[in-house]
Amino acid sequence: MFPKGFLSCISKANGFDKASFKQAHEFSPESALRINPFKPIEKFNNEQKIPWASHAFYLASRPDFVFDPFWHAGAYYVQEPSSMFLEHALNFLNELPENVFALDLCGAPGGKSTILSSFIGENGILVSNEVVKQRAAILSENIIKWNPQNTLVTNADPSRFSQLPNFFDLILADVPCSGSGLFRKDPQAMNEWSQEQVAHCALRQRRIVADCMDALNPGGYFIYSTCSYSEEENETNVDWMIAEFGLETVKVPVQPDWGIVVSVGEKYGAEGYRFYPGKARGEGFFLCVLRKPNGEIRHRDRPEKKSLFQPVKKNSDFYSKVSLGDWQEATVFRDEILILPRAFKNAIASLSERLFVLHAGCKAGKLIHDEFIPDHALAMIPSLCSSYKSVHVSHEQAIRFLRKMDMKIDFNVSGWNLVSYKNFNLGWIKGVGNRINNYYPRNFRILKAED
């Protein structure tokens, strides 16, 4: 059932119990999700709550989320429950500044980034990065659906962040690993596992950590996580980080009935948190919180370059259509109107100079001959587009819209309208004469056939 040498390789890992581990792998993995606090929904309130995450539930059975319009509206995110432990750890970070600058170094597909986005709120900035271009596109889609207002999605190698010394107050490195923690979810991972791969991943993880460490502010927090059981990728690497960068360990309290193993490192006593199927209700996961010693903090904002941002034309109809909050500012960047946190414009300019930015804040839309053409991201933030009319659709109509098919609506629609399913926005349509144009993003559309 398991790869040759696997059980003996992890047999000495803290908290490992061979019998319960093998038995757990005879059962299917848990299904779980987190409700978007920006778009609360009561659909899953009767499901069992996950104790280490708010608005999070285990599911008694796994529905076909592809055909649930609420999923496409960003009302919830389907996520493995062990990885939601990040939220619990964030609640024990002390002395963070009011305006947090956070980095999710290996962000795709986006689950942990949505946790960070909700945690820092409108007073912070999250850079969610992914080095693989195709995965970065998926990350961008999930961020847009969740809450793009405080987030930049970038496509950059971790080494690029060395150009931003002391920029971030918080860095999450959920590093690529040998994947043994996902054997129940992805049996193919068993065929790819080997002790040689573990050694290769451990060295790669050290390179990734070293590449980004200069970007962490003195006094800032570094969260390291993997979906591997191997000590080489977890406790051994944490010991290396402490020795190499002088990091300090941060303890996160856990409840005994959660089944989480507190793993104490042999050299420096660093506490890591291990999840084993059969003990905790989730897949294999490891997380450790560290802190960079206090020291001199450099100023991270740079003078804004005029060429990066341009004002939105006052004579356009943008300002009559979009409702900005006091903390927000609209600006033109690469011919797109972006809605950004007002206080962080210079910082975003600095990031844009050094990184390839796929998505910044809320991409509101474009001006074409002074007409405002709204973007899908604007529809995902109801407070910004409340002046637009909504077309309320049935489930059947919603699925047609999400497939980017012709809309069958039995009343006249003129101009830009939001498509709404049970008061959750799905995107835009535009009525032109007797025709209704469907503006759902082509790369987001449903392709799967219904059973």
Side-chain angles (χ1 to χ4, degrees):
M1 180 179 179
F2 294 108
K4 183 179 179 180
F6 169 68
L7 291 178
S8 60
C9 178
I10 67 170
S11 62
K12 295 182 180 179
N14 288 336
F16 177 72
D17 180 88
K18 185 176 179 179
S20 66
F21 185 83
K22 291 180 70 174
Q23 184 178 21
H25 280 77
E26 296 175 4
F27 298 92
S28 299
E30 298 276 1
S31 293
L33 54 77
R34 286 177 21 259
I35 304 299
N36 189 338
F38 305 106
K39 304 175 183 180
I41 184 175
E42 298 181 355
K43 180 176 180 179
F44 301 100
N45 283 1
N46 292 328
E47 302 283 357
Q48 186 177 355
K49 292 183 177 180
I50 296 174
W52 50 78
S54 58
H55 316 296
F57 301 90
Y58 293 107
L59 302 181
S61 60
R62 185 180 178 89
D64 196 341
F65 299 110
V66 173
F67 298 106
D68 185 358
F70 291 123
W71 180 62
H72 296 274
Y76 61 87
Y77 188 93
V78 181
Q79 188 173 11
E80 197 285 307
S82 297
S83 64
M84 298 183 196
F85 183 70
L86 170 64
E87 179 189 337
H88 180 73
L90 291 171
N91 292 328
F92 294 92
L93 305 187
N94 299 318
E95 301 177 11
L96 279 172
E98 182 179 357
N99 300 325
V100 177
F101 283 48
L103 167 64
D104 186 354
L105 189 64
C106 310
K112 296 180 182 66
S113 284
T114 61
I115 292 174
L116 286 166
S117 172
S118 301
F119 174 73
I120 64 177
E122 65 185 40
N123 292 324
I125 285 181
L126 168 65
V127 176
S128 184
N129 180 69
E130 175 55 47
V131 67
V132 180
K133 186 176 181 181
Q134 293 83 354
R135 286 170 56 82
I138 296 170
L139 171 63
S140 186
E141 176 182 348
N142 286 327
I143 291 295
I144 287 169
K145 291 178 178 179
W146 187 264
N147 178 36
Q149 298 181 85
N150 62 359
T151 304
L152 283 78
V153 177
T154 58
N155 176 211
D157 187 85
S159 61
R160 300 285 295 177
F161 290 92
S162 63
Q163 300 179 28
L164 294 161
N166 302 333
F167 196 91
F168 296 101
D169 308 298
L170 168 63
I171 295 178
L172 166 66
D174 183 48
V175 290
C177 66
S178 59
S180 54
L182 301 179
F183 281 177
R184 291 204 305 179
K185 290 184 65 177
D186 181 14
Q188 179 62 30
M190 292 192 190
N191 298 329
E192 299 172 357
W193 187 94
S194 69
Q195 291 178 314
E196 291 76 15
Q197 186 198 27
V198 169
H200 170 76
C201 288
L203 289 175
R204 182 187 183 193
Q205 291 154 359
R206 292 188 182 191
R207 180 189 68 80
I208 291 171
V209 169
D211 282 343
C212 72
M213 194 56 68
D214 283 347
L216 183 63
N217 254 337
Y221 290 94
F222 186 81
I223 301 178
Y224 176 84
S225 65
T226 78
C227 55
S228 170
Y229 300 111
S230 301
E231 289 180 294
E232 297 94 322
E233 299 176 77
N234 297 323
E235 290 87 351
T236 302
N237 269 351
V238 170
D239 280 342
W240 172 82
M241 291 177 227
I242 294 172
E244 188 75 10
F245 304 107
L247 303 181
E248 304 162 350
T249 186
V250 177
K251 295 183 178 181
V252 178
V254 297
Q255 297 298 319
D257 60 348
W258 293 356
I260 300 169
V261 173
V262 179
S263 175
V264 180
E266 293 183 2
K267 287 188 177 181
Y268 302 103
E271 284 197 4
Y273 305 91
R274 281 181 166 265
F275 288 71
Y276 292 102
K279 289 191 173 184
R281 289 189 61 185
E283 301 313 291
F285 185 63
F286 174 88
L287 182 142
C288 183
V289 182
L290 300 160
R291 192 174 190 184
K292 197 173 186 178
N294 285 309
E296 181 183 357
I297 301 177
R298 300 180 191 177
H299 189 56
R300 58 187 163 204
D301 287 355
R302 298 185 64 199
E304 175 190 334
K305 286 190 175 182
K306 292 183 180 180
S307 60
L308 287 175
F309 298 115
Q310 302 296 327
V312 180
K313 290 182 179 180
K314 293 295 183 182
N315 61 345
S316 71
D317 64 349
F318 167 78
Y319 287 104
S320 65
K321 297 290 181 63
V322 179
S323 305
L324 298 179
D326 293 339
W327 60 283
Q328 295 169 314
E329 181 176 355
T331 187
V332 178
F333 178 65
R334 298 174 183 166
D335 296 325
E336 301 275 1
I337 299 177
L338 305 182
I339 298 174
L340 305 171
R342 186 183 300 274
F344 304 130
K345 196 172 175 182
N346 283 4
I348 292 169
S350 183
L351 289 163
S352 299
E353 290 174 19
R354 294 163 174 80
L355 306 170
F356 180 66
V357 177
L358 291 177
H359 174 90
C362 173
K363 186 168 76 171
K366 291 184 177 182
L367 286 174
I368 299 179
H369 304 301
D370 292 336
E371 179 191 359
F372 177 59
I373 310 299
D375 188 86
H376 182 73
L378 184 66
M380 295 292 96
I381 306 175
S383 62
L384 294 178
C385 53
S386 58
S387 64
Y388 284 91
K389 295 180 179 178
S390 295
V391 174
H392 297 275
V393 297
S394 65
H395 184 273
E396 180 183 358
Q397 291 170 324
I399 298 301
R400 288 188 64 85
F401 174 73
L402 295 168
R403 288 190 183 279
K404 201 172 173 61
M405 298 171 67
D406 293 336
M407 297 296 294
K408 295 181 178 179
I409 297 175
D410 57 0
F411 54 88
N412 292 328
V413 175
S414 176
W416 291 99
N417 283 253
L418 290 159
V419 176
S420 176
Y421 175 74
K422 297 186 178 180
N423 297 318
F424 281 79
N425 293 344
L426 298 178
W428 298 100
I429 56 174
K430 187 179 183 182
V432 182
N434 295 324
R435 188 177 74 253
I436 296 175
N437 294 330
N438 183 339
Y439 280 84
Y440 193 70
R442 181 170 297 277
N443 56 319
F444 290 8
R445 71 191 189 281
I446 296 175
L447 299 175
K448 182 179 178 181
E450 291 191 72
D451 296 332

